[in-house]
């Protein structure tokens, strides 16, 4: 397998502090800058979030429309103070930000 594409994206969850939602948005952001049409290869996703143990890998993988997806959550991302709005279901007053690297591997 040969690495063909590497693209980065960033995603946030302003309300709910859900690292899976932030990671999924980061993947969608990365994919929005790369054309993956017709590729049915192996896709590697590395998502950096503040609480990698909470990432639902299957949910994050669903952000990619093609290929065999392998998700690897790692410690990283960013948690910053935000606004507490109880009506939005905030679990605390922070904002979660995630960074994703999408790698496409093709057969040589």
């Amino acid at each position: 397998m040969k690495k063909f594409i590497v693209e980065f994206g960033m995603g946030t969850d302003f309300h709910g502090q859900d690292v899976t939602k932030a990671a999924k948005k980061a993947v969608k952001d990365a994919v929005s800058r790369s054309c993956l049409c017709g590729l049915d290869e192996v896709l590697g996703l590395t998502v950096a979030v503040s609480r990698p143990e909470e990432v639902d890998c299957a949910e994050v993988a669903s952000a990619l429309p093609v290929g065999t997806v392998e998700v690897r959550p790692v410690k990283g991302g960013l948690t910053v103070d935000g606004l507490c709005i109880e009506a939005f279901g905030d679990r605390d007053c922070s904002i979660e930000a995630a960074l994703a690297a999408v790698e496409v591997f093709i057969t040589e």
Side-chain angles (χ1 to χ4, degrees):
M1 301 296 284
K2 181 178 180 177
K3 194 177 294 188
F4 183 64
I5 295 172
V6 178
E7 187 63 71
F8 290 87
M10 199 261 316
T12 59
D13 185 26
F14 282 87
H15 301 289
Q17 297 70 39
D18 188 324
V19 293
T20 297
K21 284 183 183 177
K24 190 171 179 180
K25 288 178 182 179
V27 170
K28 289 180 177 183
D29 181 50
V31 171
S32 73
R33 285 188 292 283
S34 295
C35 179
L36 301 178
C37 299
L39 290 177
D40 192 21
E41 299 293 340
V42 175
L43 300 147
L45 295 179
T46 302
V47 291
V49 295
S50 63
R51 298 182 311 278
E53 68 281 356
E54 293 182 20
V55 172
D56 179 341
C57 292
E59 182 64 23
V60 174
S62 74
L64 292 173
V66 296
T68 302
V69 181
E70 298 173 10
V71 178
R72 185 172 71 102
V74 298
K75 182 77 174 161
L78 182 65
T79 303
V80 297
D81 287 336
L83 299 171
C84 283
I85 302 175
E86 288 184 32
F88 290 132
D90 289 347
R91 112 180 183 179
D92 60 36
C93 295
S94 66
I95 298 168
E96 286 295 327
L99 181 64
V102 177
E103 300 170 285
V104 177
F105 298 88
I106 59 173
T107 305
E108 289 188 79

